[in-house]
Amino acid sequence: MKTHQPSRQGSFFKKPMSIAVSTAFGLGAAAALTVPNIAQAQLEEVVVTATKRSESAQDIPITIQALGEDTLEDLGIGNFKDYIKNLAGVTSGGRGPGRNEIFIRGVSAGKGGLKIAGAVGLEPTVALYLDEAPISMGGRNIDPYMTDMNRVEVLPGPQGTLYGASSQAGTVRLITNKPEFNEFSAGFDASIANTTSADRSTALEAYANIPLIEDTLAARLAVYNVKEGGYINNIRSTWQIPLSNPAFAFAQENYGYPENETRAVSRNDHLVEDNFNDATYEGFRLGVRMAPSDDWDVVVQHTSQTISTEGVWDYDPTLGELNSVSFQPDYADDEFELTTWTAEGRMANLDIVYTGSFLDRTVEGISDYSGYANNGPYIPYYICTPGSYVDCGEAAFFLDQYYSTERTTQEFRVSTDADKRIRALVGVFYDDTENVERGDWHYPSSAANGFAPNAPMSGATSSDPNTRPPGVAFFNDFTRTKKETSLFGELYYDISDEITVTLGARSYDIDIGF
């Protein structure tokens, strides 16, 4: 199987021939009409916070990539795949929106969890952040839509001092626009795109920055509704358990096959559809910023998003370009709520930052699993007559999957005067994460073969203690917890204006339960 994602130009898919119409509208407290001149044709300066301080990307004494707001707009960056393909040395692997993993410089511990069980997979090697909140997950990185984003930062790894776990290969940070005092601004963007041999894509995005109290209080709201049209076809086909299944060799050797051997045939006529892999992003982000005094600044922000998908994002090259076959519906709903808070201030010549986040994410969906009949050696045991495997039911299987994450993080850090030749940053980080993953593998023919519904074993710890529906041949029920407390610090010494020496250390205690 191959995974495919068409490239994007502007805010729409670009294939052999495409036509798009878009409109944008912006409002500001003040506006001026200017004629472009040579002075304006300069590189965009991007201020980054990758080192936990605000610095120009040109002045930072470490390797860093940054896509600024103008660049994100010019490239039409919309989602995960869009910004990943525009970052040098950064790649990804996955099976569609919300089911991807990031790799930097090819460093990987294996792509565990991309297909079935993320809760039992390895920790990712690249950390993903939304502002100060870590949102990386093995095989299931959150895919926030890039409406009203300020920049994307990439730090090649290892980044173990300031960012800790999952940063061995590097860190990717998505930075949002925050509320601004004393200036009202708003913007609206709409686009419609038609792509050759694909469905239409549409996007509606808007934001508003609203000052409430001069120099003290402001709010910012961003909303979006984006539909990305499909481009992979589910073609008509039939399916039965193949005689190449390893179990049949055993049956042939021990029982032989009588002349009346039968294998039920499944058809997917009711699921045949061109361009069946649609994705819809719906969500909003609301931020409130307050300055209780001249020395302190507080930002609280809430992001809510749902990704609804149908179809698959991989295809079988032997069936033709962008053709796939499914015998069961493929769909998923990926919802997350993320609340973050940051308080920054200055006390006794020290810069102080307290930040935290609470993430609640749920993914539910159905995936066709019929292909497992090719090599699952116990399949005939469930859907064929016992022992001889003379008569076999349909091999149209599917996986009913539930995945949830609750994650609370907090960080407190203190840094000395950034203008001093010798300076330091120290902090403490806390993370409490719980992942629950359930998978019910449905073999509908197993119910007709007399298999009783499955239930959790007596005395087992289970997130769902209920007996599974008839036809569930087996199931997984995993709960994985992680609690981390880390102390970290860095010491900086400017040997000259061009050379800085950094010494960093991190001490951590991580407890993982499964």
Side-chain angles (χ1 to χ4, degrees), residues 6 35 58 66 86 100 139 193 195 230 286 303 366 414 422 438 478 514:
V35 178
Q58 300 174 358
N86 284 285
N100 291 283
T195 304
L286 175 63
T303 303
I366 300 291
V414 177
I422 298 178
R438 297 194 295 266
F478 302 126
F514 184 67

Side-chain angles (χ1 to χ4, degrees), residues 8 11 21 23 78-79 143-148 187-193 200-207 221-229 278-285 304-308:
R8 291 171 64 91
S11 58
V21 178
T23 179
N79 59 13
D143 187 358
Y145 203 77
M146 301 292 286
T147 297
D148 198 31
F188 174 80
D189 185 88
S191 66
I192 301 175
R200 177 177 298 171
S201 298
T202 61
L204 294 173
E205 303 176 62
Y207 82 91
L221 174 67
V223 296
Y224 50 90
N225 185 302
V226 179
K227 179 180 179 181
E228 299 190 335
D278 295 328
T280 300
Y281 292 74
E282 294 181 295
F284 72 89
R285 183 172 63 250
S304 175
Q305 177 180 283
T306 299
I307 306 177
S308 299

Side-chain angles (χ1 to χ4, degrees), residues 52-74:
K52 306 288 188 178
R53 302 174 185 270
S54 294
E55 300 176 89
S56 170
Q58 300 174 358
D59 299 331
I60 264 187
I62 60 174
T63 301
I64 183 174
Q65 293 186 64
L67 301 178
E69 188 170 7
D70 292 344
T71 302
L72 295 175
E73 182 69 23
D74 292 342

